[in-house]
Amino acid sequence: MSSSQAVKDTAKKLVNLLEKCPKDRIPHLVSFKDVQMARFRRVAGLPNVDDKGKSIKERKPSLDEIKSIINRTSGPLGLSKEMLAKIQNKVVDEKFTEESINEQVRALSTIMSNKFRNYYDVGDKLYKPAGNPYYYQRLIDAVDGKKKENFFTAMRTVIFGK
C-alpha cells in the first residue's frame, strides 16, 4: 500500500470517528466537529456534505477573483499580479503522515470513551457538596434550557443557599 493511500485510509477512519461525535450542546458560530470533518474529508478524498447529507462543491477563488476584490477595495491593498502569485504560492497545504493521523485517531477515541473521566473519577462529595447539593444540577439544567430560574427563585437561592 502506498503512503498516500495509507494516509487516505487513516483519514477515513478519523472521519468515521468524527461522525460519531455528538453535536455541541451549545450552538457556536463554528463547530470543532464540522471544521475537522471538512479538513479530513479533503485529505481522505471524500466529498464535503452538509447537514442533510448533500454534497457541497468546494471551490477556491481564482487569481482574477482575488485581484478584482483587491482592486475594488480602497487603501493599500492594491498588489501587483506577481505579489498575488507569490502570496498564493506561499499558502501552505497541510502534509499529513499516517502516524500523525493515527495519533489524532487515538486521541479522539480516548476522549470519546471518557478514559480519563473514568480513571480520575471524583465521587459524589464533589458533585453534590453538602452545603449546596443541587448547585451543579441547576447549572446543567440552565445550560440545557430545562429549568429557568426567575428573579425570586434566584434570590431565594442566594439568600438561603437552596
Side-chain angles (χ1 to χ4, degrees):
M1 185 185 309
S2 68
S3 66
S4 65
Q5 185 61 34
V7 168
K8 284 184 178 184
D9 290 341
T10 53
K12 285 179 185 176
K13 282 185 205 173
L14 186 58
V15 168
N16 288 336
L17 197 57
L18 282 166
E19 286 173 347
K20 295 175 186 173
C21 283
K23 290 186 91 174
D24 290 339
R25 285 188 182 174
I26 301 171
H28 302 284
L29 293 176
V30 178
S31 167
F32 172 78
K33 178 182 173 181
D34 295 339
V35 169
Q36 294 302 314
M37 291 270 294
R39 178 182 183 199
F40 287 105
R41 279 183 176 281
R42 191 170 35 249
V43 173
L46 300 171
N48 272 341
V49 292
D50 61 1
D51 294 338
K52 296 176 182 105
K54 290 188 177 183
S55 180
I56 300 172
K57 279 285 189 181
E58 194 171 307
R59 186 179 75 82
K60 291 184 177 179
S62 69
L63 188 62
D64 293 331
E65 290 171 336
I66 293 171
K67 191 171 182 181
S68 73
I69 290 170
I70 290 174
N71 287 337
R72 285 184 276 144
T73 59
S74 61
L77 289 177
L79 301 174
S80 65
K81 188 174 185 178
E82 295 83 26
M83 182 58 80
L84 288 172
K86 284 182 184 179
I87 291 171
Q88 193 171 24
N89 290 335
K90 293 291 181 182
V91 173
V92 179
D93 286 333
E94 293 178 308
K95 303 289 185 210
F96 290 106
T97 62
E98 185 178 6
E99 295 83 27
S100 68
I101 296 176
N102 274 328
E103 286 177 14
Q104 293 181 29
V105 167
R106 281 192 301 275
L108 186 60
S109 62
T110 300
I111 290 170
M112 287 182 60
S113 68
N114 287 329
K115 176 183 176 182
F116 294 108
R117 178 181 177 206
N118 297 334
Y119 187 76
Y120 297 106
D121 189 30
V122 295
D124 262 358
K125 199 171 188 179
L126 284 177
Y127 287 129
K128 296 181 180 180
N132 194 354
Y134 300 108
Y135 177 73
Y136 293 110
Q137 188 59 46
R138 284 188 304 111
L139 287 177
I140 291 171
D141 288 344
V143 168
D144 288 341
K146 292 180 184 174
K147 184 178 173 186
K148 293 187 178 183
E149 287 190 356
N150 59 29
F151 179 74
F152 297 111
T153 57
M155 287 305 294
R156 183 193 69 201
T157 302
V158 169
I159 293 171
F160 297 112
K162 293 183 181 181

